[in-house]
DNA sequence: TCCCCTCCTGTACCGGCGGTACAGTTTTGA
DNA sequence: TCAAAACTGTACCGCCGGTACAGGAGGGGA
């Protein structure tokens, strides 16, 4: 009962790394069982088929992703009271976390699934959609708190601004991976931070350099 | 000789649509030949293997992409002289072009290849890398022209700012596709436009509302 | 102690797919 | 008209996803 979970986790670990490098179609079950040291029957004992594996993989990825954001932004809230300063600190912490990844960001499963839509069932696509909507709600909540204190310099739609955070993260990952420049992603997050800062911080409180 | 090119193009058209929906691994050669009405031998007459197909697909996609940016931003330069206003107009035109796509953006092959890195040879990865670097140079050139006239409100690295354009486009595509909200991508481009505008336009020339 | 449930292994098999080989046929442009 | 270009047809290989099913190790509870 404990043992089963452990094997399952090991399969998911190996599968996640492989899928992020080669996509779902490029990852064979045979290579997964070779690397985990399990038999084919063993694999199918844990996952009915590849779709089931994808589902488990995506759910685990999203949960972990949410946990990381929870930690970062709740830590930022603990350190400073002001909603704007707290959000800016959160982005700073996020960028530091990303630039500390030894081999750069491995890739986002949400993006992988997005580029594989037709291969999976509706449930997976719905899960993926909800993950992005959760990001929108999360960042939207924080931005609305900021808006109550700081009037934006330009009129902006909060949901669209919240989506901008997700966009820059997803796009930054693609750029970082493609360029093989691990730091690009962290830099993009800091650039977004500059945007948010400029949008909400009154000119008087904004020193040059 | 003319006929050959035509068939080749038809294969590439079908393949591009399929790959953007299901990824390379999820697209079978058999389905491509079924849809183009060609035989398997016919297919392999045009492309030695799947890697060769991917190479042709990516090169064609990048060329087309560059052509579109050339058109949009040269048209923007024709319409207004000021480098900042011209760039802002270009982003507006781009966002309009994107929101006019009937079924939303079909996806970016550069991102697809990026999430498939280990499946292709070095040449394809290098092509992909160069495509992103070309974007950086393109937007960087325009931003440098702006910088010569308008001092930025905040100190920013031009290459990183140029990358921000690519990030928002790539990320916006992922969001748009995942959410099945075709308009999200165009909105993200406009949000980026707001950022650029705020960064370079002097406060005096920036009316509220 | 026995038994049952979880967690696997082993073996055999199927059909689809990427890819090869190669001979033959039609189409087309100079 | 003739050669090259652009295919078709057929046969075959090995890998992979997936199915089916029998059986076994090991631990925990009655």
């Amino acid at each position: 009962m404990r043992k089963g979970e452990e094997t399952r986790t090991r399969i998911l670990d190996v599968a996640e790394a492989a899928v992020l490098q080669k996509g779902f179609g490029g990852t064979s079950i045979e290579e997964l069982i070779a690397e985990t040291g399990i038999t084919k029957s063993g694999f199918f004992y844990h996952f009915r088929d590849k779709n089931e594996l994808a589902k488990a993989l995506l759910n685990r990825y999203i949960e972990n992703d949410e946990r990381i954001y929870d930690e970062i932004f709740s830590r930022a809230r603990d350190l400073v009271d002001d909603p704007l300063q707290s959000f800016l600190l959160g982005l700073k912490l996020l960028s530091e976390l990303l630039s500390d990844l030894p081999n750069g960001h491995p890739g986002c499963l949400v993006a992988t699934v997005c580029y594989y839509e037709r291969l999976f069932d509706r449930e997976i696509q719905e899960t993926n959609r909800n993950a992005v909507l959760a990001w929108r709600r999360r960042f939207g909540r924080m931005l609305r708190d900021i808006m109550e204190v700081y009037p934006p310099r330009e009129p902006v739609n909060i949901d669209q601004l919240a989506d901008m955070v997700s966009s820059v993260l997803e796009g930054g990952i693609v750029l970082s991976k493609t360029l093989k420049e691990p730091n690009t992603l962290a830099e993009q997050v800091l650039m977004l931070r500059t945007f948010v800062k400029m949008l909400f911080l009154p000119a008087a409180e904004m020193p040059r350099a």
Side-chain angles (χ1 to χ4, degrees), chain A:
Chain A
M1 331 192 164
R2 196 78 240 141
K3 182 84 179 307
E5 277 304 305
E6 197 188 296
T7 306
R8 207 184 129 95
T9 302
R10 222 168 61 244
I11 296 174
L12 287 174
D13 287 341
V14 172
E16 183 169 317
V19 165
L20 287 174
Q21 285 188 345
K22 296 174 292 188
F24 282 99
T27 302
S28 74
I29 293 178
E30 315 241 341
E31 91 182 70
L32 297 182
I33 67 180
E35 202 162 335
T36 47
I38 209 178
T39 60
K40 208 173 189 179
S41 318
F43 175 88
F44 284 107
Y45 170 78
H46 287 287
F47 304 99
R48 203 186 313 125
D49 50 30
K50 235 185 173 183
N51 196 77
E52 194 89 351
L53 173 68
K55 212 179 287 181
L57 223 46
L58 183 61
N59 279 321
R60 195 180 74 144
Y61 181 89
I62 291 171
E63 273 171 34
N64 190 46
D65 195 78
E66 291 289 306
R67 222 198 52 240
I68 290 172
Y69 288 142
D70 279 346
E71 279 174 21
I72 283 185
F73 287 101
S74 81
R75 211 180 118 212
R77 258 195 312 276
D78 288 348
L79 290 170
V80 287
D81 267 349
D82 181 81
L84 175 58
Q85 291 304 331
S86 163
F87 187 61
L88 293 176
L89 175 59
L91 289 179
K92 189 83 207 316
L93 292 174
L94 178 58
S95 123
E96 275 169 16
L97 185 145
L98 292 171
S99 74
D100 281 348
L101 294 172
N103 302 315
H105 197 290
C108 174
L109 267 186
V110 172
T112 306
V113 169
C114 145
Y115 275 106
Y116 264 97
E117 42 168 333
R118 296 262 174 232
L119 233 60
F120 301 118
D121 57 27
R122 284 209 168 275
E123 191 188 337
I124 288 199
Q125 292 176 45
E126 208 46 42
T127 302
N128 221 31
R129 188 163 176 277
N130 284 328
V132 176
L133 288 174
W135 293 339
R136 179 182 285 174
R137 279 194 306 272
R138 171 190 294 276
F139 299 123
R141 216 179 302 129
M142 294 191 265
L143 290 168
R144 263 177 263 272
D145 286 347
I146 295 173
M147 281 264 262
E148 281 179 21
V149 186
Y150 300 92
R153 192 186 294 267
E154 288 265 311
V156 287
N157 176 298
I158 289 291
D159 280 344
Q160 291 172 16
L161 185 57
D163 281 349
M164 185 86 165
V165 182
S166 309
S167 277
V168 169
L169 282 166
E170 288 296 342
I173 292 171
V174 171
L175 262 63
S176 240
K177 269 175 80 86
T178 305
L179 292 170
K180 298 184 202 309
E181 292 176 3
N183 242 39
T184 296
L185 173 56
E187 290 162 4
Q188 289 299 297
V189 172
L190 288 183
M191 191 60 81
L192 175 72
R193 200 188 97 104
T194 301
F195 179 29
V196 175
K197 194 168 125 196
M198 232 177 12
L199 182 62
F200 291 110
L201 216 55
E205 299 180 35
M206 209 163 51
R208 297 299 297 259

